[in-house]
Amino acid sequence: MGLLLFSSIALAEEPLSKLNLRPGVTEVSQKAFDLHMIILWICVAIGVVVFSIMFWSILMHRKSLGVKPADFHESTKIELLWTIIPVFILVAMAIPATTTLVSMYDTKESDLDIFITGYQWKWKYEYMGQDVSFFSVLATPQNEIHNQEAKGEFYLLEVDQPLVVPVGKKIRFLVTAKDVIHAWWVPDLAVKKDAVPGFVNEAWTRIDKPGVYRGQCAELCGKDHGFMPIVVVAKSQEDYDKWLSERKEVARKEAELKSKQWTLAELTARGEEVYSKNCAACHQVNGAGAPPAFPPLKGSKIATGDRAEHIKIVVNGKPGTYMAAYGPQLSEVDLAAVITYERNAWGNSTGDQVNPIDIVNFKNSK
């Protein structure tokens, strides 16, 4: 009784729309929602009919009225009815379901192709044919995660660089992963596609109105699986073209940074930012690590010892451990900066400076 009362109160306070699936913002998501509602009402109708007959039979044919049980043994009529009726019900469900699935898997004639790669725990977006690519990582401050600050409105749902797409265009997503299985999932777009190492899966969307649409990795991909959000920003074609032009300019300037003469202070400052986005989740902000899976960097042999070995581990990773290869994930500038930071932070006062050219030379020597 108490449970029923609690449920009634909860339903009264919670709008029904929040208890149902979301219609989303695309034609395909609306089709998926409509299919869900069709199946739901068919199930409701079946439930009403079956339970009505059952309760009516119990009430009207109970033993106290002296009713004798009917004998349906080997009744051809009954056998036909409970075979034909379910077949009609399944056909009624299959027609809209097939139509929706065909629409969801139709990735032909796209206007824009975006290659999505899942890493632990970030997404890489490559705009094919546009020479634009970047990583998108969680932007929620570590202080919020560790309850040292109040949590923001989009706690664990903000990224540093969202995926930007134009509205009114068919966008094809090519989804894969570099390390473990992830899943790229944005409910408002009705796109949920597994990212499997060695395989490339396809999905598509066409967003009709500008907006910000959020999702998350939908596969249990590791201890920070919940820290792998997705943010898609849909812009008008004019705003998208402007953003794309800015991204190309950023890429051009980033390439120029490889030949810049960096100071130790500049590299350390940039390295702290890179460390916070890519390393702090495992090795902690204070470099203390989380032994035994994630060893400390503060005072470690790696961060205070041979510089070449330090570069090798950060670029190539360490087989048999959770240490990923950051060579394909970070630019030469960011690799040099984060290694410099690790060798000079938390009391690791080596005074060593790793320049981008050192990373370039290391990669070329392999």
Side-chain angles (χ1 to χ4, degrees):
M1 201 56 194
L3 181 61
L4 288 174
L5 180 61
F6 175 79
S7 301
S8 301
I9 293 172
L11 286 173
E13 292 178 348
E14 189 79 8
L16 285 177
S17 59
K18 289 189 176 181
L19 302 177
N20 202 352
L21 293 182
R22 289 150 60 172
V25 297
T26 66
E27 181 182 346
V28 170
S29 68
Q30 185 63 56
K31 285 183 178 178
F33 179 78
D34 292 343
L35 173 64
H36 154 72
M37 294 306 298
I38 289 171
I39 302 299
L40 173 66
W41 287 121
I42 289 176
C43 292
V44 169
I46 293 172
V48 170
V49 171
V50 170
F51 280 99
S52 296
I53 293 174
M54 185 181 75
F55 286 121
W56 175 80
S57 299
I58 292 172
L59 181 65
M60 302 303 295
H61 299 83
R62 60 188 188 275
K63 186 177 180 180
S64 60
L65 296 179
V67 178
K68 293 184 178 180
D71 184 7
F72 298 117
H73 184 62
E74 295 185 354
S75 170
T76 304
K77 187 180 296 183
I78 296 297
E79 295 275 356
L80 287 173
L81 280 176
W82 70 34
T83 301
I84 293 173
I85 291 176
V87 167
F88 276 109
I89 293 173
L90 288 175
V91 170
M93 290 180 172
I95 291 173
T98 303
T99 304
T100 302
L101 284 175
V102 169
S103 178
M104 293 176 88
Y105 282 88
D106 180 16
T107 58
K108 300 188 300 291
E109 300 177 354
S110 60
D111 298 304
L112 172 64
D113 295 330
I114 299 177
F115 201 94
I116 301 173
T117 306
Y119 290 80
Q120 285 183 316
W121 291 274
K122 56 179 76 72
W123 297 101
K124 183 180 183 182
Y125 300 118
E126 299 175 72
Y127 290 67
M128 300 180 70
Q130 301 293 336
D131 198 25
V132 169
S133 67
F134 56 87
F135 280 87
S136 179
V137 300
L138 176 71
T140 299
Q142 289 290 322
N143 286 343
E144 286 189 22
I145 295 172
H146 296 290
N147 298 319
Q148 295 168 350
E149 290 181 5
K151 302 189 187 306
E153 180 182 3
F154 297 110
Y155 176 68
L156 297 185
L157 291 175
E158 279 288 8
V159 298
D160 61 341
Q161 299 189 86
L163 176 67
V164 178
V165 297
V167 296
K169 300 291 184 182
K170 186 170 184 177
I171 303 158
R172 183 173 65 141
F173 300 121
L174 302 167
V175 186
T176 188
K178 197 69 176 178
D179 36 43
V180 299
I181 298 176
H182 303 275
W184 200 83
W185 177 43
V186 181
D188 283 331
L189 307 185
V191 176
K192 181 176 180 289
K193 189 60 66 177
D194 284 346
V196 183
F199 293 87
V200 177
N201 292 322
E202 291 182 292
W204 72 278
T205 191
R206 180 185 286 114
I207 305 173
D208 295 326
K209 59 181 181 181
V212 179
Y213 309 104
R214 301 177 191 278
Q216 288 179 299
C217 176
E219 191 71 44
L220 189 58
C221 58
K223 82 173 189 63
D224 280 347
H225 151 75
F227 296 171
M228 203 170 166
I230 299 161
V231 178
V232 178
V233 177
K235 294 177 178 284
S236 65
Q237 186 65 52
E238 181 182 351
D239 290 342
Y240 171 76
D241 291 340
K242 182 180 177 182
W243 172 86
L244 191 63
S245 177
E246 291 172 352
R247 287 300 315 185
K248 290 180 178 178
E249 181 63 15
V250 169
R252 187 187 65 78
K253 290 182 177 178
E254 185 74 20
E256 290 180 354
L257 290 177
K258 285 195 289 186
S259 57
K260 175 186 174 181
Q261 295 297 316
W262 292 81
T263 67
L264 178 62
E266 287 175 329
L267 281 171
T268 304
R270 186 182 179 106
E272 183 175 10
E273 186 178 337
V274 177
Y275 181 88
S276 175
K277 290 181 180 178
N278 297 277
C279 315
C282 297
H283 293 291
Q284 308 301 305
V285 176
N286 58 5
F294 307 107
L297 296 178
K298 180 180 180 180
S300 73
K301 291 181 179 178
I302 294 297
T304 60
D306 183 57
R307 197 180 70 151
E309 186 65 19
H310 193 175
I311 294 174
K312 179 182 176 183
I313 287 181
V314 174
V315 173
N316 295 337
K318 190 171 183 179
T321 71
Y322 290 104
M323 181 63 194
Y326 280 89
Q329 301 185 40
L330 299 177
S331 68
E332 286 80 4
V333 175
D334 285 341
L335 286 167
V338 75
I339 295 171
T340 299
Y341 175 72
E342 290 173 356
R343 299 183 71 80
N344 293 279
W346 322 297
N348 296 345
S349 305
T350 63
D352 288 345
Q353 176 174 331
V354 177
N355 294 300
I357 190 63
D358 298 323
I359 306 299
V360 173
N361 291 337
F362 173 79
K363 289 183 174 179
N364 291 337
S365 67
K366 292 195 295 182

